[in-house]
Amino acid sequence: MERLMIQIPEKKSKLVKSLLKELGVVIEPHVSALSKRLNSMVSDGPLPSMDEIVEEVRAVRAKS
């Protein structure tokens, strides 16, 4: 199963949610709080290169 986070315009929220539910999508109610928390953790500044991202992912996997 995949987990996706999408932004839905306020005016279309009910329509989009109802269509997604008809398709069997599970809508988590507290994702908004999670996305805000994750966004607050991101610092402004230069974006990491793909090599830096891969290196960090490998370091995390090596620890587990």
Side-chain angles (χ1 to χ4, degrees):
M1 180 179 282
E2 269 187 80
R3 180 178 298 247
L4 302 173
M5 187 177 348
I6 60 172
Q7 293 180 334
I8 304 170
E10 290 295 325
K11 293 180 180 178
K12 302 291 182 178
S13 182
K14 288 183 181 181
L15 173 64
V16 171
K17 286 180 182 179
S18 67
L19 291 172
L20 290 173
K21 284 181 181 179
E22 286 183 29
L23 294 171
V25 174
V26 176
I27 298 174
E28 296 180 11
H30 303 291
V31 172
S32 168
L34 174 61
S35 67
K36 287 178 185 175
R37 193 174 78 201
L38 290 174
N39 286 336
S40 71
M41 295 169 62
V42 176
S43 61
D44 291 338
L47 296 175
S49 68
M50 186 56 75
D51 291 335
E52 291 170 324
I53 295 171
V54 169
E55 184 179 323
E56 185 174 342
V57 168
R58 287 182 178 157
V60 169
R61 287 183 177 171
K63 289 180 184 178
S64 57

